[in-house]
Amino acid sequence: MHILFLTHYFPPEVNAPASRTYEHAKRWVREHGARVTMVTNHPNHPRGILYPGYKNQWLTKEDIDGISVRRVKTFLTANAGILRRTFNFLVFMIAAIVGSFGVRRPDVVVATSPQFFCAVAGYIVSRIKRRPFVFELRDLWPDSIVTVGAMQPSLLLRLLERIEIFLYLRADLIVAVTDSFRENLVGRGIPAEKIVVVKSGVDLDFFRPQVPSPSLVEKIGAEGKFVAAYIGTVGMAHAVDTIVNAAELLRDAPNILFLIVGEGAGRAKVASLITAARLENVKLLDAVNKDDVRGLYALTDLNLVTLRDKPLFLSVIPSKIFEIMAMARPILSSVHGESRRILEAAGAAEFVAAEDAVGLAAAIRRLSNEPGRLRQMGENGRRFVEENYDRRGSADTLLEHLKEIAGDEQLPERVLSRS
């Protein structure tokens, strides 16, 4: 089977879409003998700076763990600023379509969001190739950008919403990463039978409990400290400013150190808040590679998972919760809805209201004095993901869906009749 996969993000980038796509594709190639051709950008996320060893050429080919990777010309920009990011998305849409021309005889075309225009490219390529189109839905866009205030209701927004519905209706299969996403689409008239849910899992061999590195503890200045950490995208949706406000309320607790690690559109604001409040109990670090993420998780005592207080985020499952549980680390979350149901089933977290700095500070102060409770939460989380969220299982499930779609001999004709 030959899978043509379009994704805006791919390793060596380390965000959640890149990791999920890579780990799935690697298993399809190694364990199932599939061919996978990946069309993606030259790696530059989140700073808009090319990673070492790469040049921003019209087309770069490489092999990564048996995956044929075709990198296309990229408009380089940091993960901030709606106009430049939108142009970045549009350039990839066009470049990905052109970059797919040389891919011969795929059985299925898959496109993943974020970002939205990647799915547009996937649909167009599927029509050109006369192959079924699979839309992997990781983000309800454009709803998500409206929710964080990056776009206001307008004629343009209505146009984007029409394109969104068009893609859902024309996709031969929609792979949602949460049950809530599926419910949202069904409620908007998308046939339930064309939507499957394949939730994000975690690489249990890579993310596993480990002893913190003494040198890293010393480097961060965490000796003898209770480390409450936020590790991930510092975006407009993530309410990291609430964590900074909680740190300000805990100035009187010198044993508690806040660690914020990541990049994103909200990072400058977070940095200015830390500076303005003269907070010495907060360490703000740049984004790190995947190996270093694992090392940072190992030294945490409590991991903070936060989002804005918006109804849309009740449908979101931050993929980091699976990594944290796999590392046997406890979680304090302000994300409710489907994410909370998973964490409650695991017994791996406690919860506070979204964007409630006072409640967050109080919970961190209390939990810093409950090591037994934290240890139990961590152990519960590891056991839960071992039983329910091994990424090998999600990769195999998704591949079976792709085989089913690609194996329908009448599908190419049905696809053509729709176009």
Side-chain angles (χ1 to χ4, degrees):
M1 181 179 186
H2 184 190
I3 302 164
L4 173 55
F5 204 117
L6 279 63
T7 175
H8 195 92
Y9 307 103
F10 197 71
E13 296 170 334
V14 295
N15 60 8
S19 295
R20 172 180 163 114
T21 301
Y22 162 70
E23 289 168 15
H24 281 180
K26 181 175 68 171
R27 182 166 177 82
W28 297 339
V29 170
R30 287 185 175 180
E31 303 300 328
H32 299 282
R35 287 178 58 203
V36 180
T37 300
M38 199 71 57
V39 177
T40 188
N41 277 308
H42 290 91
N44 70 98
H45 180 82
R47 295 183 177 180
I49 300 172
L50 282 176
Y51 284 40
Y54 288 91
K55 295 180 179 180
N56 193 13
Q57 300 172 328
W58 286 107
L59 181 65
T60 302
K61 299 179 182 179
E62 62 179 318
D63 181 282
I64 299 179
D65 291 323
I67 305 164
S68 176
V69 181
R70 299 168 67 91
R71 298 191 185 272
V72 297
K73 189 75 171 179
T74 305
F75 176 71
L76 301 174
T77 185
N79 186 28
I82 185 67
L83 292 178
R84 291 181 64 83
R85 289 294 291 161
T86 299
F87 189 66
N88 171 266
F89 297 163
L90 290 169
V91 168
F92 176 70
M93 178 184 73
I94 297 168
I97 294 169
V98 175
S100 298
F101 284 166
V103 180
R104 301 191 62 185
R105 302 186 62 82
D107 295 297
V108 63
V109 178
V110 186
T112 187
S113 68
Q115 44 90 3
F116 172 80
F117 294 107
C118 179
V120 177
Y123 169 73
I124 294 172
V125 171
S126 74
R127 300 299 82 115
I128 294 171
K129 300 290 185 183
R130 300 185 177 186
R131 292 296 184 266
F133 168 50
V134 177
F135 185 172
E136 185 184 52
L137 181 65
R138 297 182 51 86
D139 190 15
L140 291 175
W141 201 96
D143 283 2
S144 57
I145 60 172
V146 175
T147 296
V148 299
M151 177 177 283
Q152 299 300 317
S154 63
L155 181 62
L156 175 59
L157 178 62
R158 290 195 293 274
L159 174 62
L160 293 174
E161 289 171 341
R162 286 179 177 272
I163 295 173
E164 176 197 20
I165 295 298
F166 175 87
L167 290 170
Y168 295 151
L169 291 173
R170 293 301 179 110
D172 294 285
L173 179 70
I174 300 169
V175 179
V177 298
T178 75
D179 294 320
S180 300
F181 284 1
R182 184 180 190 275
E183 293 166 6
N184 179 286
L185 267 57
V186 171
R188 297 162 68 189
I190 308 303
E193 61 269 18
K194 72 188 301 180
I195 309 169
V196 298
V197 178
V198 181
K199 295 181 181 178
S200 293
V202 63
D203 183 341
L204 293 171
D205 294 326
F206 185 85
F207 289 103
R208 59 186 306 111
Q210 66 181 58
V211 176
S213 163
S215 61
L216 184 58
V217 171
E218 181 180 1
K219 179 180 177 181
I220 291 174
E223 304 97 327
K225 302 285 189 180
F226 178 90
V227 179
Y230 176 91
I231 302 173
T233 302
V234 186
M236 298 172 69
H238 297 88
V240 181
D241 54 317
T242 302
I243 296 173
V244 177
N245 293 335
E248 188 169 7
L249 295 171
L250 290 172
R251 286 180 186 271
D252 63 336
N255 64 307
I256 298 175
L257 174 66
F258 286 82
L259 180 62
I260 300 173
V261 184
E263 305 280 349
R267 193 179 192 278
K269 178 183 178 181
V270 167
S272 66
L273 288 173
I274 294 169
T275 300
R278 298 181 180 179
L279 296 177
E280 297 182 356
N281 60 342
V282 182
K283 296 281 187 179
L284 178 61
L285 304 182
D286 294 339
V288 298
N289 63 38
K290 194 172 179 179
D291 285 329
D292 290 340
V293 166
R294 182 173 55 178
L296 288 170
Y297 278 140
L299 63 79
T300 63
D301 296 290
L302 182 64
N303 285 270
L304 310 177
V305 179
T306 58
L307 285 173
R308 296 283 176 208
D309 186 13
K310 301 291 184 180
L312 178 67
F313 296 144
L314 297 176
S315 66
V316 171
I317 305 174
S319 59
K320 74 177 71 177
I321 68 173
F322 303 113
E323 296 176 358
I324 297 167
M325 285 192 285
M327 294 288 299
R329 311 314 297 159
I331 295 170
L332 179 59
S333 174
S334 67
V335 185
H336 301 278
E338 191 166 350
S339 174
R340 177 166 183 161
R341 291 193 290 274
I342 291 171
L343 290 173
E344 285 182 330
E350 290 202 6
F351 304 89
V352 296
E355 298 190 77
D356 178 8
V358 174
L360 185 65
I364 293 170
R365 189 190 298 272
R366 173 176 54 81
L367 288 169
S368 70
N369 295 307
E370 299 180 5
R373 166 68 177 145
L374 294 175
R375 183 171 55 255
Q376 186 62 60
M377 288 162 59
E379 293 172 356
N380 291 347
R382 176 68 192 189
R383 183 168 56 250
F384 184 78
V385 292
E386 285 178 344
E387 295 172 355
N388 299 282
Y389 286 97
D390 186 335
R391 183 156 274 169
R392 290 171 294 191
S394 65
D396 293 349
T397 298
L398 179 51
L399 182 60
E400 287 305 311
H401 289 302
L402 298 182
K403 285 181 176 179
E404 182 177 356
I405 287 293
D408 185 346
E409 294 181 354
Q410 302 304 312
L411 195 55
E413 288 74 15
R414 188 173 76 238
V415 169
L416 281 173
S417 68
R418 289 188 190 173
S419 57

